[in-house]
């Protein structure tokens, strides 16, 4: 059984205990150098707590948490990108991944530009009703597809433009809110608005 715990705000500690009695501890002292990173780390732990239960193996959730905490220390990765990747992939691990590789109406794989939060998927230009949906660039759609399909170890190996980051924010924040029934209070500590 895998579990995690957090001890001490100054040096966030992630403890993974893997069934055979071995324990791996990884300290993240660099997080204390940046208060926003520390609060995001607390938020990531709160989200992991939401999606896991006592007695649950949670291997994928813990690996995602660990890699996300490490990603916060990479200067070239914007905090917002790390957050949206974490949230979107956590939803996928929990079985709430949207259909984004083909149109949810007709099955086409081309001209996919409209994300429907309520229908949990993407719609092609031909099936778009003209009223609802979040308009996305091909790069944003590719990024969402990459987040869902990449191995966890490759999840934080890319960056995106400001325009794509804005589109990710629109999709992921709305989709995450629609598929969780909790207010995550650790986000209240952040001064910045994601």
């Amino acid at each position: 059984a895998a579990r995690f715990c957090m001890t001490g705000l100054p040096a966030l500690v992630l403890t993974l205990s893997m069934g055979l009695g071995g324990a791996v501890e990884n300290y993240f002292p660099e997080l204390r150098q940046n208060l926003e990173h520390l609060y995001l780390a607390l938020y990531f732990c709160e989200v992991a707590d939401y999606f896991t239960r006592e007695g649950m193996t949670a291997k994928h959730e813990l690996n995602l948490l660990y890699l996300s905490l490490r990603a916060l220390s990479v200067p070239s990765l914007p905090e917002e990108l790390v957050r949206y990747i974490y949230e979107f992939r956590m939803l996928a691990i929990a079985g709430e991944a949207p259909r984004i590789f083909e149109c949810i109406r007709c099955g086409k794989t081309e001209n996919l530009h409209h994300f429907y939060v309520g229908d949990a998927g993407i719609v092609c230009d031909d099936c778009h009703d003209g009223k609802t949906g979040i308009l996305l660039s091909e790069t944003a759609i590719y990024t969402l597809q990459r987040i869902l399909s990449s191995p966890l170890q490759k999840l934080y190996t890319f960056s995106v433009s400001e325009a794509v980051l804005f589109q990710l924010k629109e999709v992921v924040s709305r989709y995450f809110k629609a598929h969780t029934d909790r207010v995550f209070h650790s986000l209240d500590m952040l001064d910045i608005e994601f």
Side-chain angles (χ1 to χ4, degrees), residues 6 9 23 27-28 37 46 68 81 98-99 115 128 145 185:
M6 207 173 50
L9 289 180
Y27 295 83
F28 296 90
H37 289 177
E46 188 178 5
S68 301
L81 179 60
R99 291 179 44 204
F115 186 86
H128 177 54
Q145 292 171 340
H185 296 290

Side-chain angles (χ1 to χ4, degrees), residues 11-12 17 35 39 52 56 62 69 72 75 78 83 101 111 113 127 135-136 155 161 164-165:
L12 190 65
S17 299
L35 200 53
Y39 289 151
T52 58
M56 181 179 169
L62 292 175
L69 293 175
L72 287 176
R83 175 185 171 182
F101 292 91
N111 298 316
H113 294 116
C127 295
L135 179 63
L136 297 175
L155 204 52
S161 68
V164 171
L165 188 61

Side-chain angles (χ1 to χ4, degrees), residues 50-163:
Y50 175 82
F51 283 103
T52 58
R53 302 290 174 262
E54 187 173 338
M56 181 179 169
T57 302
K59 176 183 174 184
H60 299 295
E61 292 88 342
L62 292 175
N63 283 333
L64 178 60
L65 174 61
Y66 173 76
L67 292 170
S68 301
L69 293 175
R70 286 187 51 202
L72 287 176
S73 302
V74 177
S76 61
L77 284 173
E79 296 90 2
E80 296 104 328
L81 179 60
V82 175
R83 175 185 171 182
Y84 303 137
I85 291 172
Y86 178 76
E87 290 174 341
F88 204 58
R89 188 61 176 256
M90 186 63 82
L91 285 169
I93 291 170
E96 297 291 341
R99 291 179 44 204
I100 58 171
F101 292 91
E102 63 183 21
C103 177
I104 58 175
R105 304 264 193 271
C106 70
K108 287 183 186 174
T109 58
E110 295 177 354
N111 298 316
L112 304 172
H113 294 116
H114 310 276
F115 186 86
Y116 285 42
V117 173
D119 293 332
I122 202 149
V123 174
C124 71
D125 293 340
D126 293 335
C127 295
H128 177 54
D129 64 12
K131 300 175 192 168
T132 59
I134 302 168
L135 179 63
L136 297 175
S137 66
E138 289 188 22
T139 306
I141 293 178
Y142 172 78
T143 303
L144 291 169
Q145 292 171 340
R146 184 173 178 173
I147 292 169
L148 292 185
S149 62
S150 292
L152 285 178
Q153 293 76 14
K154 303 279 185 186
L155 204 52
Y156 294 105
T157 58
F158 67 93
S159 60
V160 297
S161 68
E162 287 294 321

